[in-house]
Amino acid sequence: MESPSGLTEIRIYNESKFWFPGRWVGGISLIISPLLLLTGVLLRLPYHFFFPQQLAAYQEYPTLIFAAYSFFLAGNILLSLAVFTLIQLIGLRKPNWAISGGIMVSLGLFARTFHAGIDHLAFQLVPINNLELATKTVASSYGAYHIVSALSPFILFGWVVLAIGAYISGVLRIVPSLALGLMALLMIGVLKGSSATSVVATTGLCVAFIPLGLKVISNGPQPKLVTVVKWTVFLIVLLIILYFLGQAG
């Protein structure tokens, strides 16, 4: 049976069963992660996607480019929790598709996070040395082998497998499933900026994940206002503590 929103009715909430990362964390991640990715993509869209232009853009607009890459990285990290949630839902009916697509996409997200670390270091070379030297250093090491490079194809094919699994399991209908598969178009690699296909891919992720996230968090008991306030205060304090601990090294 299908709901008016187009999502198949799957009972997500069940007090007797545990699943990771949980209804609230999973649902909120489904909503927030694609928006963060799309924001990062749009912020760096005006600049050519290849690394010399990305480094030049950082020299001229360091705050903007830092924000763009930070939004994208934060979205990528939260996306892992969103993907775990989708794997859980697909696995209720099509476990093999959930496992295969979930493994590929999860490993691919590790590759993107690894590349984000390289991006951060490369950008630091611009003020520490200069743009010319930073560009030369990146160009000289661009093809250097690392074991994570073997994971890059996973995220491209993984989104297609996950999209097929979402459709045949009934978690998503045809349009959101096709939109999810568009994530295979998102470029992967070091200092990769944005292009039109990046906007298409991350917009497709929004189309697929945001309605599903709303469905997940609405499928079950709702917390009281006092509970929401307590958790909000707790998370804000926790984030402040984590920030200062992170700055300490």
Side-chain angles (χ1 to χ4, degrees), residues 76 105-115 148 151 155:
N76 187 72
V105 171
S106 298
L107 291 177
L109 292 176
F110 277 106
R112 288 198 188 278
T113 306
F114 175 79
H115 293 150
V148 177
L151 302 180
I155 199 166

Side-chain angles (χ1 to χ4, degrees), residues 35-217:
L35 293 174
L36 291 173
L37 286 172
L38 180 59
T39 300
V41 164
L42 292 176
L43 285 176
R44 63 193 187 196
L45 183 61
Y47 313 100
H48 191 271
F49 66 85
F50 203 36
F51 75 86
Q53 290 77 21
Q54 292 294 300
L55 291 171
Y58 183 81
Q59 182 185 47
E60 190 170 0
Y61 306 105
T63 302
L64 174 63
I65 299 302
F66 174 79
Y69 278 79
S70 296
F71 273 113
F72 191 89
L73 175 58
N76 187 72
I77 293 172
L78 281 181
L79 188 57
S80 64
L81 301 178
V83 168
F84 293 155
T85 304
L86 180 59
I87 293 169
Q88 169 74 21
L89 299 178
I90 296 173
L92 295 175
R93 294 179 178 174
K94 298 293 180 180
N96 290 335
W97 285 92
I99 292 171
S100 56
I103 288 175
M104 285 192 284
V105 171
S106 298
L107 291 177
L109 292 176
F110 277 106
R112 288 198 188 278
T113 306
F114 175 79
H115 293 150
I118 300 176
D119 295 344
H120 179 73
L121 177 60
F123 284 134
Q124 304 316 302
L125 295 177
V126 176
I128 292 175
N129 297 302
N130 55 62
L131 177 60
E132 182 180 358
L133 183 57
T135 304
K136 182 179 180 180
T137 301
V138 174
S140 301
S141 59
Y142 204 82
Y145 174 76
H146 53 79
I147 61 173
V148 177
S149 60
L151 302 180
S152 296
F154 275 168
I155 199 166
L156 303 179
F157 299 115
W159 286 114
V160 175
V161 175
L162 208 58
I164 295 173
Y167 177 69
I168 65 176
S169 64
V171 176
L172 297 177
R173 295 185 68 182
I174 184 64
V175 173
S177 297
L178 290 173
L180 180 61
L182 291 175
M183 277 293 287
L185 300 175
L186 189 60
M187 291 182 293
I188 187 168
V190 174
L191 287 176
K192 285 294 193 299
S194 301
S195 65
T197 56
S198 304
V199 177
V200 170
T202 48
T203 300
L205 187 67
C206 291
V207 171
F209 272 11
I210 292 177
L212 181 60
L214 294 172
K215 183 73 175 178
V216 168
I217 62 177

